[in-house]
Every structure is written in C-alpha cells, then in structure tokens.
Amino acid sequence: MKESELITIDHLTKVYPTGTGGFKALKDINLTFQSGEFSGVVGPSGSGKTTLLNIIGTLDNPTEGKASVLGRSVNDLSSKEAARLRNHHIGFIFQTYNLLSVYTVYENVEFPLLLLDYSSDKREKMVMDALNWVNLADKKNFRPSQLSGGESQRVAIARAIVKKPELILADEPTANLDAKNSYLILEIMEKMNQELGTTFIFATHDDKVMKSLKRTISLEDGRVAGDDLAKA
Amino acid sequence: MLLFKLAYRNIRGAGLRSFLNILVMSIIFVLIVWMQGLYEGVTVQATTDMIREDVAGGHYRHPAYDPNDLVDLMEAHQSYQPQQKAVDRHDLEPVLMINASVYPNGRMQSALLKGIRPDQALLDFPAHELKTQMDGVIPALIGKRMADMMQVALGDEFIIQWRDRQGTFDAATARIVHIMTTIVPTIDAGQIWIPLKRLQEMTGMTDEATYMIARPGFQLQDPQNWEYYSQDELVHSIVNLMETKSSGGMFLYLILLLMAMLSIFDTQVLAIFKRRKEIGTLVALGMTQKEVSRLFTLEGTMFGLLGAALAVILGIPICLYTWRNGINFGPVMDSFNLAVSPIIYPIYTPEMIAATFILVLFLVMVISGIPARKIASLRPTDAIAGRRIYKVRGEK
C-alpha cells in the first residue's frame, strides 16, 4: 500500500447468508482511496453502496478478498480492535442522523471524546470547535427532538468531526433533507475536506451530492460499473 | 468509570421514564419490606400474646389430652396431688377441662368448660372475676368471641349441662360475670371459664386437672405422668399457622418481585427493540458490542440501586411511623382467625431489610444482563438502520 493510500480494497466480495444460500451484496470489488479524497459511491438502492461503506468502516467483514483501512486489514481485526479503529480514526454520518435522543447536542458531540478518555477541558474545547464548525454552538443544550432535520444532521457532522478523524463515511447524508439544508451541510463538509484534509466517502444517489464529488464510483448490482478518477 | 458515566447520562437523559422506573422500584422495595415487617410483627405479637395469656412457661399435659381433639375429654384428667406444693406456690396452675352443653336463650350449643383458680398469677387473664360468690349460680367468664357466638351479654344466665366422672348428667345455671377482650382464640372461642374448685366438685374430679400451666423458668423434677410441652413447642404451632397464613402473602411477595422485574424489563429487555439504532450507533462510534452489553446491564443495575436509595428516603418515615403507631386492621384481623390484635406493629430487622435489598438487586442484575446476549448477536450494520436482524450461527 502506498503511503498516500488510505484504503485499499482487493477482490472484495460480500455474501449475506440467507435461507436460500446467500445474497451477494458485493462482487469482486477493487478500489483504492487516497488521503484527502472527497469521493462518492453512487448507484441505485441495493447496489451495495452501504455494504461497501460498512466494510470500510470496519462494521462488517468481507466474505472474500481483502480490505485495508489506514494500514489495518479489516479481515484480521478483532471486534475490539475494529472498535478502537473506528473510535480513533473514522467518523460516521448516517441518513437518519442517529443522534442519541436522551443526550443534549453537546453530549452527542462529546460522546466519541468520552470513549477516547480525553480530559474534561479538552473535550469542552473540541466540542465547541466542532459545534462552531456547523454553526450550532447556541443550541448545545438542545435535545435532538428540538432540532430540525438540517440541524440534526449538522450535529451528526459535528459528532463525526469532533475527534478530527482521517476518514468520514457519510451514508446518504442528505436523503432526509431539503435542498437548502443539503447544500448547507455539503458546504460544511467540503470546507472541512479542504481546510482539515479529512477524507470523505459518501454513499449517495442524490444529484446535489454527486455534483460536489471529486470522484464518483458507480456501483451496479454489487460490481464497480464506473470510477470517475478524472475529477479527483 | 466511563460506563458509569454513560449509564448515568442515559438514566438522567431519559427523564420522566427513568424517574417512574426508579419510583416503581422504590415503592416495591418499601412494599416488600413493609409486608415482611408486618408478618414479622404479626408473628411476634401473636406469640407474645399467646405466651402472656395462655402458655406462660409451658404446659404439663395429661397424656390423653390432645388440643386438636376436644370431642371427649373424660379420660384426659389426673390428680396433681404429687405436685401440690408447686401448685400451692403458684409455680403450676392447674386447668381442668370437660365437654359441656350450654343453653343460652334456649338454644343448645357445645362448649368447653374450663376450671381455673381465681387467684392464678401466671397468666394475664381476668380469672379474679370468678371470685364473685353467687348462691348456687356458677360464675362464668367468657371471651368476646364466645359472647358473640352465644349471643349473651354481661349478667345473662344460661343452663350448663355436663357429665361427672361416672358419666352422670347434671345441670346448673351459670351467670356471665365478665366478658374479656382477648386476642388469643385458645382461651376464648368455644370456652367458658369457671372456678376450678367448682368444676372439680361438679365432676367429682377433686384435685385433678387436664393440664397445668408452668411458671416461666419452672420445671418439675419428676413430672410423673404429665407430659411437658415447652413454651417454644406451644408457640411453634402459632408460628406454623402464621407460615401457612403467610403462604398467601408469599404470592403477593412474588407479585411484587415480578413488578420490580417488569419495571426494568421494560427498560432493559424491550430496549433491544426500542434502542436498536442506538446500539448500532454506539458501536459505530467506537464501542464494542460487549461494552454496549455491559452498559445496558449497568444501566439496569443503577435503576435498582437508585430505586433502593429512593426506597430508603421514602421508606424510613413510613416504616418509622407504622413501627411506632402500628396499623389498625380493625375487624379484618378477626376474620383472619389469628391470635393477633387489630393493631399490628410491624417489626423491621436489619437482616430482613438487607436480605430484601440484596434479593431484589440480584434479580435486577440478572434481568439487566438478559439483553447482553441479544446485543452481542445484533448485526451492527442493521442495528444502525434500526433493523432487527441477528447474526446467524458462525457469522463473524
């Protein structure tokens, strides 16, 4: 793996066990992602976008082939090692925000830092920095139920970036948002990519997101149907 | 430490739901302790009253006397002359019993005629009321239960019919000289107390008794044909009766425990369904599934601990008040057919409170651990999406 290569995927296949033998979600995928990319995996529903992101995010394992993230082989990670890798180096943004409903905005953003065992002062500074990035510092004491969809997704972004991870995986981050909010959060993520050098990989079929991507990988029926490296 | 912090945040964050869970837990804690205290109080009261009014230091019984078979007492009496000195010293108090028929208001009823010395000094019992001298009429002392049964009042007269030691029937008029209020049914229900001397004369059983009550601490060196039943043995019957009665209470106890379990069952077991997305998110944010399992277990345990803490706050004034003032159950206790006063003073022992808390907390921990296996078998990628799909066997 070259030094700048953040992720390498080599002949990756993912099969989910079913009653009739198994469902092949990914078939012989070969990809590499460089550090600092702003890429997207696009394709229709069921094409394997989320599965690919889950494997890159160490939430799932390949059935065949290899995946290496930040120099670590996903295949060989124990659940504890995978959890630590996610905790230290990977941020997630989900379509449905997945905020912890009983926590305040501040506590949601602080959560990954608690797992990293940072001091209270350090946590406070990092949380406020992240909330300032997404322009939600004034709503730090709000509960998720008191926020709009756009605000909730901005909190999710703040939670993903607060530990300054090398990689952020965003699964349909704009699917539940209107155009205005979609552009707003895309703007934030582009800015983070440019200013912090954070690598973003999206799974999306939203045109607004696709337009902003520097690299587009098309998936169809679990196979790579196209890889637009030219924009990268 | 981190898990404690997170569990605390989850409980605090759930607000009213958490408070209600903790409140239910604490009420159950208090109810269980209160109920056990009540049973303990009833048992102690019943045994104390029974000792004071009936048992004293134990009984020396005629071998043929069986308190559970009072149909024919004609063979169950013997002379206490060999023990006369102890009787004179009031170390022993002889009681003679025979079967009789009484005719209050012309109706026939069976009764136990019991003779006791009016100057007895061993029992808290108004035998002195029998000192009343009445020409020909037998002074009779009965309890309130018996008065209700016979439908007689103070001063009422009625006929008593009995058989003497030869089996000859005889009859005389008796007059109620006192109606005692007692909570001990063994000296009340179905019984008529008259002076011992009078009963011995009526039956020709001079210096004979069915049983003798012993002064606490006194024991016959040579009991001869008297069978000794210690205070503990006699009281044991009431304790056994209490245990039988409390088996119904055990059902209530189990219901209360079940309620305690349910209050965390909602939070813990149903959490697998309600908090799937949260579980997936926690894993995505960097927790292992084992850590999430431990977090859930800890959360449930903390519910139990907080419930116990609130129970202490709520329970101390309630238990103190009932311990000092008792609880008046009125006629309910009478229908319970137990030798207990209508006012029950619960007794709370540290051992009982500690055992209750340990038992409930242990069960809470067990219940809280139930989600652990389910969480471990959740596929995190599906949990994140809120789907309930578990790993198949062998899937990593």
Side-chain angles (χ1 to χ4, degrees), chain A residues 17 54 59 75 79-80 83-84 86-87 92 94 96 98 100 102-103 107 110-111 114-115 123 143 159, chain B residues 2 5-6 9-10 12-14 277-278 281-288 291 380-381 384 392 396:
Chain A
N54 285 337
L59 289 168
N75 309 52
S79 62
K80 197 169 183 179
R84 296 295 163 258
R86 288 194 295 274
N87 188 209
F92 287 89
F94 304 102
T96 51
N98 288 43
L100 302 170
V102 296
Y103 288 8
E107 287 167 342
E110 187 193 24
F111 190 89
L114 281 172
L115 298 183
R123 289 201 308 269
R143 291 284 175 95
R159 184 177 63 184
Chain B
L2 171 68
K5 189 179 247 176
L6 296 180
R9 275 193 181 180
N10 286 348
R12 188 203 59 193
K277 198 180 262 190
E278 181 188 332
T281 306
L282 295 177
V283 172
L285 291 176
M287 289 180 87
T288 63
E291 284 171 332
T381 50
I384 289 166
V392 296
K396 198 177 168 188

Side-chain angles (χ1 to χ4, degrees), chain B residues 160-182:
Chain B
I160 301 178
Q161 187 189 44
W162 72 95
R163 286 193 303 169
D164 66 14
R165 67 182 312 144
Q166 272 78 43
T168 312
F169 280 99
D170 203 349
T173 303
R175 185 184 301 152
I176 308 286
V177 293
H178 186 73
I179 297 174
M180 61 181 167
T181 304
T182 175

Side-chain angles (χ1 to χ4, degrees), chain B residues 84-99:
Chain B
Q84 190 63 52
K85 281 185 183 170
V87 172
D88 291 343
R89 286 197 307 269
H90 287 278
D91 283 336
L92 291 172
E93 200 56 64
V95 175
L96 180 62
M97 289 172 72
I98 61 161
N99 299 103

Side-chain angles (χ1 to χ4, degrees), chain B residues 237-286:
Chain B
S237 62
I238 195 86
V239 174
N240 280 347
L241 183 66
M242 276 309 302
E243 279 170 7
T244 314
K245 294 279 181 191
S246 65
S247 61
M250 184 57 76
F251 181 69
L252 185 64
Y253 184 77
L254 289 175
I255 296 260
L256 287 173
L257 278 183
L258 191 69
M259 278 174 65
M261 300 307 101
L262 274 177
S263 76
I264 45 165
F265 188 85
D266 169 60
T267 355
Q268 295 306 112
V269 180
L270 299 185
I272 300 298
F273 307 105
K274 288 194 291 194
R275 295 170 69 182
R276 276 194 300 272
K277 198 180 262 190
E278 181 188 332
I279 293 166
T281 306
L282 295 177
V283 172
L285 291 176

